[in-house]
Amino acid sequence: MRTALRVGLLAGAVCIAWTVLLYATGQSPFGPKRLMTIFVAPVAAVVAQWQVRKHHREQASLGRQLLVGLLAVGLTAALSAVGVYSVARTGGEPLMRQNLAEATQIVRASRKQFSEKELSQAAYEANLRSLPVAAGTAQGVANEDFQKKLIAGLLIILPGAIFLRR
């Protein structure tokens, strides 16, 4: 468990540092560059599982590897979401308005793809209606960050646990 906590804390700190760096350099901390940290959670899971196999080989069962990976991913996602929320609260209303405007612009630019993929006008409008909550509030961007990292990490936990068991 200490290995998962150590790796999860380190990976979460990397995500927070990246978000703060984007904000400090005047770039959008919620834009496409933030998505580069999506891969930190899966890497954290594999590293934690690998460390357990390397240092505690006799305890590296499938169940334990799954638990270690889950804990590392969960901690990484939670810390990253806390960092995103903190930056959003620090940036305040102007930063959230900017993020909402950018997200709305991206959705409107993809309108043609909605019609090409036979998605209805209702789906497009539902996407536009969800933006003020998802991209216009600190809770919305933190929730999105948490969900994306958690899902990305969960996709790699089982293969990592199977491959790195004893």
Side-chain angles (χ1 to χ4, degrees):
M1 292 303 133
R2 286 185 304 232
T3 302
L5 291 173
R6 185 175 53 247
V7 172
L9 285 173
L10 181 63
V14 166
C15 293
I16 291 171
W18 181 251
T19 304
V20 170
L21 179 70
L22 288 174
Y23 178 68
T25 58
Q27 300 178 37
S28 175
F30 314 120
K33 290 183 181 176
R34 178 183 52 96
L35 296 178
M36 292 175 17
T37 62
I38 291 289
F39 301 107
V40 173
V43 169
V46 171
V47 167
Q49 291 170 335
W50 178 71
Q51 288 289 318
V52 168
R53 182 173 185 214
K54 181 179 176 186
H55 297 294
H56 308 286
R57 189 170 185 91
E58 67 283 348
Q59 297 175 350
S61 65
L62 179 64
R64 183 146 313 179
Q65 292 290 53
L66 285 171
L67 184 61
V68 166
L70 182 63
L71 185 58
V73 166
L75 189 57
T76 301
L79 286 176
S80 179
V82 166
V84 167
Y85 180 79
S86 299
V87 168
R89 297 293 293 184
T90 301
E93 192 65 32
L95 183 61
M96 298 314 306
R97 277 195 307 268
Q98 175 191 357
N99 184 51
L100 180 59
E102 289 173 0
T104 303
Q105 183 181 10
I106 290 170
V107 170
R108 287 194 174 137
S110 67
R111 184 176 195 162
K112 183 179 178 185
Q113 292 173 346
F114 273 88
S115 62
E116 286 177 2
K117 294 183 180 177
E118 297 180 11
L119 296 173
S120 67
Q121 180 69 18
Y124 170 76
E125 290 174 5
N127 199 359
L128 272 178
R129 279 192 309 273
S130 71
L131 283 177
V133 173
T137 64
Q139 296 90 347
V141 294
N143 185 33
E144 177 196 17
D145 185 73
F146 178 77
Q147 288 177 356
K148 285 183 179 179
K149 286 193 174 71
L150 190 63
I151 290 170
L154 290 176
L155 291 175
I156 200 74
I157 288 174
L158 183 61
I162 291 170
F163 182 71
L164 293 170
R165 66 182 177 195
R166 59 183 148 136

